[in-house]
């Protein structure tokens, strides 16, 4: 009892004091919690299925799990996959089985569930299937990559959003109400605080607590705030999904010829600490996959930009990458060469080891010459128009057209050349 008294007097972080006491107080997740939303409908029906809450840090995953247990009158059993193992899980399952015999259910909350290995995840299955526990897992990583298919098939996946500006502003207002005073910030600085938190409500409240502790005589503007508070690094793990999301955004913005969006995603990746050489390699790939011969200079320009970065280093070399992004975004687009190569590879696999036609084989020995190697070969430079029109596919294979240039950029000229040779080939019956 005395211990409880002392505990109640101990200081509590602002983020803990402002933790929502009801689902209606959770900000930024109305798409899940409103009465007509998935979790809202589930609770209205007085049922709760096992689930995975997938979202960025500080968006309310743990809070929602705790409140779900309260609303459904389930015992809340929290575990962290970082600090727990098989022995901890066994104890929880035993307590849950005893509780079930007494007529009470258990909500097992696993934070960072993706950190459990495959065998540990399989260990949940019988207890989830027979209803011993309602499993609520929380993860910042894509469940389809990190969780067993068997476990995923028994859980609903709910995607939580990063907190938007409206939600962040509401948290700051609640903090001001708790403290009984306004934050020492001008409007531009207030917006800057939300930007620093980058959608993480817990980080925002920790930042706000630091601001309340400042002894300042005048309200801070964004410039003064930047001096007072250290800027947070963007949420970005180069080995995880954020890495692939941003490079996908850059690639598709380039493909869509949106120069400004492409520059934005380039800046996002560089500011998050992405390896510029990785970006250079992906830009080079884009130049051959999505532009190709519509603008043959795209490959040259991109390679030169990447080499320039290697010689200049950062930050000067990043301008070369930006120049390449602008060039690629504004260049005419064609994936005709990319499709032609894929089609030719598919055809090569289908036709196996067909031999080239005899007339285009060299005959370095008299035996090969006697066998017909090179017989009937027409030297194109001696032919009319410098074009013999002979067949160069295997005799057993009908002629195929893999490359179909588009009517854009330089490929328009390439198409004219191909059409001209096709016309000559048809006229000469070859």
């Amino acid at each position: 009892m005395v211990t409880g008294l002392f505990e109640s007097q101990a200081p509590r972080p602002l983020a803990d004091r402002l933790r929502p006491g009801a689902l209606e107080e959770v900000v930024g997740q109305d798409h899940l919690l409103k009465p007509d939303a998935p979790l809202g409908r589930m609770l209205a029906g007085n049922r709760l299925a096992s689930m995975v809450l997938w979202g960025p840090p500080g968006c309310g995953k743990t809070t929602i799990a705790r409140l779900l247990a309260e609303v459904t009158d389930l015992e809340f059993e929290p575990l962290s996959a970082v600090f727990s193992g098989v022995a901890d899980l066994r104890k929880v399952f035993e307590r849950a089985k005893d509780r079930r015999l007494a007529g009470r259910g258990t909500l097992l909350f696993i934070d960072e569930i993706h950190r459990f290995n495959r065998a540990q995840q399989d260990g949940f299955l019988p207890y989830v299937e027979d209803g011993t526990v309602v499993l609520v897992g929380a993860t910042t990583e894509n469940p389809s990559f990190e969780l067993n298919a068997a476990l995923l098939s028994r859980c609903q996946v709910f995607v939580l959003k990063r907190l938007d500006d409206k939600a962040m502003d509401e948290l700051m207002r609640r903090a001001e109400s708790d403290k009984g005073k306004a934050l020492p910030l001008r409007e531009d600085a207030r917006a800057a605080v939300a930007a620093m938190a980058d959608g993480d409500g817990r980080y925002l409240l920790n930042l706000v607590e630091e601001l309340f502790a400042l002894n300042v005589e005048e309200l801070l503007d964004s410039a003064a705030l930047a001096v007072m508070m250290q800027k947070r690094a963007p949420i970005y793990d180069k080995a995880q999904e954020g890495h692939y999301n941003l490079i996908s955004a850059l690639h598709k913005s380039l493909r869509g010829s949106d120069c400004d969006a492409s520059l934005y995603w380039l800046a996002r990746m560089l500011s998050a600490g992405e390896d510029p050489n990785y970006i250079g390699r992906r830009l080079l790939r884009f130049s051959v996959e999505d532009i190709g011969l519509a603008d043959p200079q795209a490959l040259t320009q991109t390679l030169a930009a990447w080499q320039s970065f290697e010689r200049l280093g950062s930050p000067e070399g990043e301008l070369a990458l930006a120049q390449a992004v602008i060039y690629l975004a504004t260049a005419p687009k064609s994936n005709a060469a990319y499709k032609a190569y894929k089609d030719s590879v598919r055809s090569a696999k289908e036709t196996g080891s067909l031999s080239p036609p005899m007339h285009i084989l060299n005959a370095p020995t008299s035996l090969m010459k006697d066998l017909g190697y090179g017989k009937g070969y027409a030297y194109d430079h001696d032919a009319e128009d410098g074009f013999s029109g002979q067949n160069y596919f295997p005799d057993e294979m009908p002629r195929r057209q893999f490359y179909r240039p588009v009517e854009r950029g330089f490929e328009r000229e390439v198409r004219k050349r191909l059409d001209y040779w096709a016309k000559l080939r048809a006229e000469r019956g070859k």
Side-chain angles (χ1 to χ4, degrees):
M1 188 171 179
V2 174
T3 303
L5 175 63
F6 287 150
E7 184 179 359
S8 65
Q9 294 173 344
R12 294 170 62 202
L14 180 62
D16 187 52
R17 293 202 306 276
L18 294 183
R19 190 180 292 274
L23 286 170
E24 296 77 17
E25 298 174 12
V26 175
V27 299
Q29 309 303 337
D30 286 351
H31 65 293
L32 295 178
L33 299 175
K34 287 174 66 175
D36 59 345
L39 281 176
R41 292 194 302 270
M42 196 181 288
L43 293 174
N46 197 30
R47 59 187 176 82
L48 194 63
S50 291
M51 67 187 73
V52 175
L53 302 177
W54 172 28
C59 67
K61 297 185 292 293
T62 304
T63 295
I64 290 174
R66 188 182 297 275
L67 293 174
L68 288 175
E70 290 182 11
V71 171
T72 54
D73 195 30
L74 296 174
E75 187 72 23
F76 186 68
E77 286 270 16
L79 283 180
S80 169
V82 178
F83 302 111
S84 306
V86 175
D88 301 292
L89 287 170
R90 286 202 189 102
K91 292 176 184 176
V92 169
F93 293 140
E94 288 302 318
R95 290 197 296 268
K97 285 193 285 187
D98 292 342
R99 215 174 276 128
R100 191 182 187 196
L101 292 174
R104 183 170 169 78
T106 301
L107 188 152
L108 172 59
F109 174 67
I110 306 289
D111 195 20
E112 302 294 333
I113 191 171
H114 62 276
R115 293 184 180 271
F116 274 139
N117 62 37
R118 303 282 171 171
Q120 290 169 319
Q121 291 178 32
D122 283 339
F124 299 144
L125 299 180
Y127 302 100
V128 171
E129 282 186 337
D130 68 9
T132 300
V133 298
V134 173
L135 175 66
V136 178
T139 179
T140 55
E141 302 300 333
N142 190 326
S144 58
F145 298 147
E146 303 295 338
L147 300 185
N148 283 4
L151 181 59
L152 272 180
S153 70
R154 292 160 175 82
C155 297
Q156 294 190 44
V157 176
F158 295 115
V159 181
L160 280 72
K161 299 178 180 178
R162 72 186 290 278
L163 300 188
D164 59 17
D165 291 343
K166 181 181 177 182
M168 301 295 255
D169 188 62
E170 174 60 25
L171 289 181
M172 284 192 274
R173 292 184 188 283
R174 291 182 188 180
E176 290 172 323
S177 177
D178 177 80
K179 282 289 188 179
K181 61 179 181 179
L183 284 162
L185 301 172
R186 297 186 186 278
E187 279 304 310
D188 62 329
R190 197 178 184 90
V193 168
M196 286 180 184
D198 199 13
D200 186 333
R202 182 172 49 246
Y203 184 89
L204 174 82
L205 292 175
N206 290 339
L207 200 58
V208 164
E209 194 161 30
E210 290 183 46
L211 288 168
F212 276 129
L214 292 176
N215 185 18
V216 293
E217 296 181 359
E218 296 183 1
L219 297 181
L220 302 174
D221 60 15
S222 57
L225 177 71
V227 174
M228 300 287 287
M229 313 297 292
Q230 188 173 14
K231 187 181 183 298
R232 186 189 197 197
I235 298 172
Y236 183 77
D237 187 336
K238 287 186 282 185
Q240 301 297 336
E241 195 194 13
H243 161 82
Y244 297 106
N245 285 346
L246 293 199
I247 194 60
S248 175
L250 174 59
H251 194 121
K252 289 180 173 63
S253 299
L254 288 169
R255 182 180 290 155
S257 300
D258 192 326
C259 180
D260 298 311
S262 301
L263 285 169
Y264 170 76
W265 293 117
L266 171 69
R268 278 281 301 275
M269 295 184 78
L270 290 172
S271 64
E274 181 59 80
D275 180 4
N277 285 297
Y278 169 76
I279 297 174
R281 184 174 69 82
R282 291 299 298 252
L283 293 178
L284 199 61
R285 173 192 166 179
F286 179 88
S287 72
V288 293
E289 178 180 337
D290 286 272
I291 295 175
L293 291 173
D295 184 350
Q297 281 298 311
L299 177 63
T300 305
Q301 289 280 340
T302 309
L303 183 58
W306 187 6
Q307 291 172 335
S308 296
F309 174 82
E310 291 177 331
R311 285 160 174 74
L312 288 171
S314 183
E316 293 88 348
E318 290 165 6
L319 180 58
L321 295 179
Q323 179 173 309
V325 162
I326 293 170
Y327 191 98
L328 296 176
T330 55
K333 306 298 188 295
S334 171
N335 69 343
Y338 174 71
K339 289 168 65 178
Y341 175 67
K342 289 184 68 175
D343 199 14
S344 65
V345 168
R346 189 181 307 113
S347 183
K349 289 179 179 178
E350 290 171 355
T351 55
S353 53
L354 295 178
S355 296
M358 294 289 279
H359 64 269
I360 62 171
L361 297 180
N362 288 330
T365 68
S366 57
L367 173 62
M368 296 170 75
K369 191 171 183 179
D370 292 342
L371 291 173
Y373 279 55
K375 185 178 181 180
Y377 172 63
Y379 187 57
D380 284 83
H381 292 294
D382 291 340
E384 184 182 358
D385 303 310
F387 179 77
S388 68
Q390 280 195 311
N391 176 53
Y392 300 102
F393 279 95
D395 291 332
E396 304 91 336
M397 179 181 172
R399 180 172 186 80
R400 292 280 308 276
Q401 182 180 1
F402 300 121
Y403 180 46
R404 292 178 170 84
V406 299
E407 284 283 354
R408 292 187 295 275
F410 181 70
E411 278 199 332
R412 184 183 289 112
E413 297 302 317
V414 176
R415 185 165 188 165
K416 291 178 182 177
R417 299 176 189 179
L418 292 177
D419 289 345
Y420 171 69
W421 288 321
K423 174 174 169 288
L424 292 181
R425 190 179 289 112
E427 288 174 354
R428 293 167 192 180
K430 295 181 179 181

